[in-house]
Amino acid sequence: EDVSFIPTSLAAGRDHSLALNSDGTVWAWGNNDNGQLGDGTYIQHPSPVQVENLSGVLKITAHEACTMALKEDQTVWDWGERWMSGATNIPEQIQDLDSIIDIDIGSRYFLALKDDGTLWARGANEYGQLGDGTTTDRSTPVQVQYLNNVIGFSAGYKHSLALTNDGKVWAWGNNDNGQLGDGSYDNSTSPVEVPNLEDVKAIAAGDYGSIALKNDGT
């Protein structure tokens, strides 16, 4: 047994998996047709291989054939199917994005939280899921409008959620199934407050729904 391999967290994409090791390295296995294993090849692996040129990692996340990592130096790296910037089989740093403390991937887009409480987004934006007031796809990160003091967030399939430090929840993007929780079925290109919901401590966005956990356990 290799006792030096001690996974501290896991992530899974459409058909590949990842483990963050206790030494800050990342290991991946499964399908690799878009380079989502980050080992410099496009060969699938049934057992873990180390992601190349990547250390000091704090968090990993994956969706479909894309993989992302947040490093200790607050930079963000991605590999695989990266939508707006082409596929790569080794990690590349996302430019114009620093001071990041958390990340999450949706469908063909991602959200990143800065240490100043602002939220940033990049990628597909056909429903306004980037929250910048437009439906324009973005190849460089843009700031989510009107939000400060963000302490939590979640990227769904085509909609996004944010939790601010006053316990309120905000939502934007696709709303075909009422997943924005604002009493309508209208899409929104910028955050709208979810009414009748306060004192929230955790949120999660799924494909077509949303969920919140309040401090009272409901």
Side-chain angles (χ1 to χ4, degrees):
E1 181 181 358
D2 183 5
V3 294
S4 64
F5 186 61
I6 306 172
T8 58
S9 64
L10 304 170
R14 182 176 58 232
D15 46 18
H16 75 291
S17 304
L18 302 129
L20 174 60
N21 196 22
S22 57
D23 63 0
T25 60
V26 179
W27 298 72
W29 61 99
N31 190 18
N32 198 24
D33 55 0
N34 287 277
Q36 58 263 50
L37 301 189
D39 68 335
T41 76
Y42 293 97
I43 302 169
Q44 69 179 29
H45 292 276
S47 58
V49 292
Q50 186 172 350
V51 176
E52 288 195 354
N53 305 321
L54 196 65
S55 60
V57 174
L58 291 176
K59 182 176 182 177
I60 50 175
T61 184
H63 190 281
E64 297 171 352
C66 182
T67 312
M68 294 179 65
L70 172 63
K71 294 182 62 173
E72 294 171 348
D73 63 6
Q74 297 185 314
T75 60
V76 180
W77 300 66
D78 65 348
W79 60 98
E81 184 183 17
R82 300 183 301 162
W83 318 307
M84 302 304 299
S85 52
T88 177
N89 59 13
I90 57 172
E92 293 186 3
Q93 183 178 349
I94 297 176
Q95 300 301 311
D96 304 313
L97 199 63
D98 53 23
S99 303
I100 301 301
I101 59 174
D102 203 1
I103 53 175
D104 195 25
I105 302 182
S107 178
R108 301 179 61 240
Y109 79 105
F110 73 83
L111 300 173
L113 179 62
K114 284 196 173 187
D115 57 13
D116 64 1
T118 59
L119 196 60
W120 296 72
R122 190 194 79 181
N125 197 27
E126 66 270 40
Y127 293 98
Q129 58 265 44
L130 301 188
D132 68 339
T134 77
T135 54
T136 303
D137 295 347
R138 302 293 185 181
S139 59
T140 56
V142 292
Q143 185 175 350
V144 178
Q145 290 186 330
Y146 313 131
L147 285 183
N148 293 289
N149 302 314
V150 175
I151 60 172
F153 63 98
S154 183
Y157 178 60
K158 301 287 185 181
H159 77 290
S160 307
L161 302 174
L163 173 64
T164 47
N165 64 355
D166 55 4
K168 294 180 179 180
V169 179
W170 303 77
W172 60 98
N174 183 252
N175 198 25
D176 288 350
N177 292 272
Q179 57 263 53
L180 302 189
D182 66 344
S184 79
Y185 293 96
D186 300 325
N187 301 336
S188 180
T189 60
S190 58
V192 293
E193 184 180 347
V194 179
N196 306 314
L197 189 63
E198 57 186 16
D199 199 31
V200 172
K201 67 176 182 179
I203 51 174
D207 281 357
Y208 303 104
S210 305
I211 192 168
L213 174 65
K214 295 181 64 170
N215 280 309
D216 65 3
T218 58

